[in-house]
Amino acid sequence: MRWTALYARSRHLAVSLAAVLLCAVVLPPLLGDNWTTLFATLTLGAAVAVAGVGLSGQDIDLDRTASFRWPPRRLVHLLLIGVVAGGAMLAIQGFVDRPIESGWILRNAAGLIGLTGLAAALFGGQFGWTLPLGWAMTAMFVPSAVGQVYAVVAWPMATADSAAAWWTAGLLFAAGTAVYTVAGARR
């Protein structure tokens, strides 16, 4: 078998892809009139989170002894999670009553994959789901009356034109992808 097939099997990519598509493609049309930023945040967070579980193999020591460089593969894997989850969310917008702006989806997909990379590096690949799903769920309960703090803490819920939300998502993306690409998943 080629390394790509082995990598895909060890990371359960087929199951992750099915789970991402289930979250991002099936949930929005089911919600119909109830499709709002709140549910879009939860859906995108869940889509990124389910794929984040595969950011490490079953044996970290075996992965680290491979004769090829892991950082490019880690980066591509993390970016593909965001592309697939964000792309599925973008594709489904034509089938919902109240479409979400594409800039909002791009910002949130980037920030959430950064959180996924951070979670995998800090807690291990099997816990890559914790930070993106946890932050997305927490953002739903932050009161919008707190001003700029809202745009930073609840950036997944902020409007697409919020500069503070873009900065927060961008910093999370940069930090998460850099840490996961260089260090990989924690043992």
Side-chain angles (χ1 to χ4, degrees):
M1 259 192 233
R2 299 186 54 86
W3 77 265
T4 51
L6 289 172
Y7 184 87
R9 286 180 63 192
S10 73
R11 301 300 195 269
H12 304 290
L13 292 184
V15 174
S16 291
L17 179 62
V20 167
L21 293 177
L22 181 68
C23 289
V25 175
V26 174
L27 285 176
L30 286 177
L31 291 168
D33 290 338
N34 296 326
W35 182 247
T36 61
T37 307
L38 179 97
F39 288 115
T41 299
L42 183 60
T43 301
L44 188 57
V48 170
V50 296
V53 174
L55 289 178
S56 67
Q58 286 79 19
D59 188 353
I60 298 290
D61 292 326
L62 182 62
D63 283 353
R64 295 186 193 278
T65 61
S67 62
F68 50 77
R69 294 175 30 105
W70 277 106
R73 289 164 177 83
R74 289 184 196 128
L75 178 63
V76 167
H77 187 171
L78 195 59
L79 293 176
L80 277 175
I81 291 171
V83 167
V84 171
M89 285 288 289
L90 283 171
I92 200 65
Q93 294 309 306
F95 300 101
V96 295
D97 295 331
R98 289 181 235 146
I100 304 294
E101 293 178 52
S102 58
W104 183 94
I105 294 171
L106 172 69
R107 179 196 69 207
N108 286 6
L112 290 169
I113 63 168
L115 284 170
T116 303
L118 280 174
L122 294 174
F123 312 129
Q126 69 274 22
F127 298 110
W129 61 271
T130 55
L131 289 179
L133 193 58
W135 200 314
M137 291 180 69
T138 302
M140 292 184 228
F141 298 104
V142 176
S144 60
V146 293
Q148 281 296 87
V149 173
Y150 175 80
V152 172
V153 175
W155 62 269
M157 296 289 296
T159 60
D161 60 352
S162 170
W166 275 98
W167 275 102
T168 304
L171 289 173
L172 289 171
F173 172 77
T177 54
V179 168
Y180 177 72
T181 299
V182 171
R186 183 177 177 197
R187 296 177 191 256

